Amino acid sequence: MQNMLSFISVALRGAAKNKVSTVVPLWSRSYASFTPQATFDIKPCELHRLDQGPPTQAVLTREEGLSYYRTMQMMRRMELKADQLYKQKIIRGFCHLYDGQEACAMGIESAINVTDHLITAYRAHGYTYTRGVSVKEIMAELTGRRGGVAKGKGGSMHMYAKNFYGGNGIVGAQVPLGAGVALACKYQGNNQVCVALYGDGAANQGQIFETYNMAALWKLPCIFVCENNKYGMGTAVERAAASTDYYKRGEFIPGLRVDGMDVLCVREATKFAADHCRSGKGPILMELQTYRYHGHSMSDPGVSYRTREEIQEVRSKSDPITLLKDRMINNNMASVEEIKEIDVEVRKEVEEAAQFATSDPEPPLDDLCNHVYYNEPPIEVRGTNPWSKLRSIS
C-alpha cells in the first residue's frame, strides 16, 4: 500500500513539474476491460391477433447502452430545467413534461430509421430531441425565442423537424394526420413507416377509431402507439374507459402491450411492429405502459388524484434510466464513474441551453405573419392586409 501511495505521489509531482494539464483518474479502465455486449431477458408482450410476438431476449452493446443512457438522461434533465424555468415564469403558456416516459421515445427511435416518420401529441419535447433537434433549440422554443426550432412561434406543443410532424395541441388529432403520412408512404412505395402516438385519454376519441378503420382497410404502414401513463389529465384510466386493454382497441388490427419503462422492451416491440408494417400486412397497435412523474401539465400538481407514495414507488422500482444504468454497471458494460461523467456533461449542456434560451432575442414583430406558407402565398387574395408591414408602436 505504501509503495502504491509513493507511486501516485511521484506521478502527481511529475505531472506538475511538466505542466501536464490533465491527470488520468485512478479509477479509469481501458475499454477492453468492459463487456462489449450482453443479452438480457425482457418482459414478454401481451398479444392481440398475433400468433407470435417480439423476442423475450434483447442484445445490448456497450455503445448502444451509453448512447441510450445519455439520450434519456438528456431528456430528463431538459424537462427538469423546463419545470424550473416555468416556475420562474420564463416559460409561459402550456407545457407538458415527459420525465418518466423516456424509455418510450428512446426505444421507438432506436428501432426505426431516420427516414421513417413520427407524429405525436402535445407531450412532445422528448421526441423532438430524439428526432435530431438540439436541446438549445428546444429550450429556446419553450421560451419563445428566435433561436427556437420553430423560431419561437410554436412553444411547447408545436415543434417540428424533418420527418417529425409535431407536437399537436388538439387531443387525438395527430392520429388521422399520421395515417395520412402513412398513406403517402404507401403511395410513394418508399418502404417507410409512420409512428402515430397518442395517450390513454385520447384513446377514447372517435377520430382514433375512424383512423383504425381506414388504416386497416387500406393496409397502411402505420404503427399506432398508445402511451398509457395511467392518467388522462386528472382521471385514472379505470374511470375513463370501459376497457383499459388499449392494445386490443383496434379490434381487427393486431396489437401488443409493452413494458414502456424498459427501453429494450420498447425497442424490440417497435422493431417487430416496423417489420410488420414494411411487409405489407398493414397497421399494428402498441400500448406502452409507462408513467409520468409530473402532472398532466404545469397547472396540475399531479397529487390530487394519485398519492406521492405511488409516484415514489414507480421512481424507486421502475425508473427507466435507473433500470438501464443498473443493467450496464451490473454486467460490467460501464463504470459508475463513467456514468457520473455523462451526468455532468448532460447537466452542463442543459445549463448552457437554458442560458441561451433566456438570453436569445424574441422574434421581431415583422416576423409575425411570415412562415404561414412553405414559400410564398400561391395567389393574391383580394382584400387581405399587407401583414408583413406591421410595426410596433409600443
Side-chain angles (χ1 to χ4, degrees), residues 115-187:
T115 53
D116 289 323
H117 309 268
L118 191 143
I119 186 168
T120 188
Y122 37 72
R123 203 176 303 279
H125 308 161
Y127 289 101
T128 307
Y129 182 68
T130 61
R131 289 268 88 184
V133 179
S134 68
V135 178
K136 180 186 287 188
E137 290 175 291
I138 294 171
M139 296 300 295
E141 189 59 41
L142 289 172
T143 57
R145 304 305 172 107
R146 195 165 56 190
V149 62
K151 302 186 184 300
K153 297 181 179 183
S156 172
M157 296 195 292
H158 304 103
M159 300 185 187
Y160 308 93
K162 186 173 177 58
N163 298 331
F164 175 59
Y165 308 91
N168 291 266
I170 301 175
V171 177
Q174 71 279 2
V175 179
L177 295 178
V181 174
L183 176 61
C185 294
K186 182 174 182 178
Y187 183 79

Side-chain angles (χ1 to χ4, degrees), residues 31-73:
Y31 290 125
S33 65
F34 288 114
T35 304
Q37 73 175 40
T39 302
F40 298 96
D41 293 326
I42 56 176
K43 185 178 178 180
C45 298
E46 296 178 57
L47 308 179
H48 171 64
R49 296 178 69 94
L50 288 167
D51 297 326
Q52 187 176 2
T56 55
Q57 287 189 323
V59 176
L60 179 70
T61 68
R62 168 179 152 80
E63 289 73 20
E64 287 173 340
L66 291 175
S67 175
Y68 296 170
Y69 179 83
R70 181 183 176 84
T71 300
M72 290 199 293
Q73 190 68 282

Side-chain angles (χ1 to χ4, degrees), residues 365-385:
L365 183 63
D366 289 349
D367 218 19
L368 179 64
C369 297
N370 291 340
H371 313 109
V372 176
Y373 296 95
Y374 178 68
N375 289 316
E376 296 296 326
I379 58 172
E380 289 292 331
V381 181
R382 185 176 60 192
T384 57
N385 295 319

Side-chain angles (χ1 to χ4, degrees), residues 119 172-182 196 207-208 210-211 214 220 224:
I119 186 168
Q174 71 279 2
V175 179
L177 295 178
V181 174
Q207 59 189 324
I208 307 287
E210 294 176 42
T211 306
M214 296 171 70
L220 301 182
F224 296 109

Side-chain angles (χ1 to χ4, degrees), residues 14-262:
K17 182 178 179 181
N18 295 305
K19 297 182 180 180
V20 177
S21 58
T22 56
V23 177
V24 177
L26 298 178
W27 47 259
S28 67
R29 288 185 277 169
S30 69
Y31 290 125
S33 65
F34 288 114
T35 304
Q37 73 175 40
T39 302
F40 298 96
D41 293 326
I42 56 176
K43 185 178 178 180
C45 298
E46 296 178 57
L47 308 179
H48 171 64
R49 296 178 69 94
L50 288 167
D51 297 326
Q52 187 176 2
T56 55
Q57 287 189 323
V59 176
L60 179 70
T61 68
R62 168 179 152 80
E63 289 73 20
E64 287 173 340
L66 291 175
S67 175
Y68 296 170
Y69 179 83
R70 181 183 176 84
T71 300
M72 290 199 293
Q73 190 68 282
M74 191 72 77
M75 284 189 268
R76 176 71 57 86
R77 290 295 161 192
M78 179 174 65
E79 297 297 62
L80 294 179
K81 176 56 68 172
D83 173 66
Q84 179 185 340
L85 294 178
Y86 197 97
K87 288 171 180 174
Q88 293 172 353
K89 296 186 177 181
I90 296 172
I91 296 174
R92 309 302 291 265
F94 290 102
C95 187
H96 304 81
L97 302 182
Y98 198 68
D99 50 323
Q101 300 183 210
E102 295 89 355
C104 298
M106 185 68 257
I108 289 173
E109 194 63 56
S110 63
I112 62 174
N113 304 323
V114 293
T115 53
D116 289 323
H117 309 268
L118 191 143
I119 186 168
T120 188
Y122 37 72
R123 203 176 303 279
H125 308 161
Y127 289 101
T128 307
Y129 182 68
T130 61
R131 289 268 88 184
V133 179
S134 68
V135 178
K136 180 186 287 188
E137 290 175 291
I138 294 171
M139 296 300 295
E141 189 59 41
L142 289 172
T143 57
R145 304 305 172 107
R146 195 165 56 190
V149 62
K151 302 186 184 300
K153 297 181 179 183
S156 172
M157 296 195 292
H158 304 103
M159 300 185 187
Y160 308 93
K162 186 173 177 58
N163 298 331
F164 175 59
Y165 308 91
N168 291 266
I170 301 175
V171 177
Q174 71 279 2
V175 179
L177 295 178
V181 174
L183 176 61
C185 294
K186 182 174 182 178
Y187 183 79
Q188 294 172 353
N190 53 24
N191 201 36
Q192 295 171 1
V193 301
C194 181
V195 180
L197 296 117
Y198 55 99
D200 49 273
N204 300 318
Q205 288 277 321
Q207 59 189 324
I208 307 287
F209 296 90
E210 294 176 42
T211 306
Y212 289 161
N213 180 62
M214 296 171 70
L217 189 64
W218 296 341
K219 293 190 180 301
L220 301 182
C222 191
I223 306 173
F224 296 109
V225 181
C226 176
E227 289 183 291
N228 178 8
N229 59 24
K230 308 293 189 294
Y231 299 93
M233 295 192 93
T235 306
V237 292
E238 292 81 8
R239 296 180 58 210
S243 170
T244 57
D245 291 333
Y246 295 103
Y247 71 111
K248 295 180 179 179
R249 290 283 197 93
E251 296 285 346
F252 30 74
I253 297 176
L256 302 167
R257 176 178 272 166
V258 186
D259 180 359
M261 301 300 274
D262 184 347

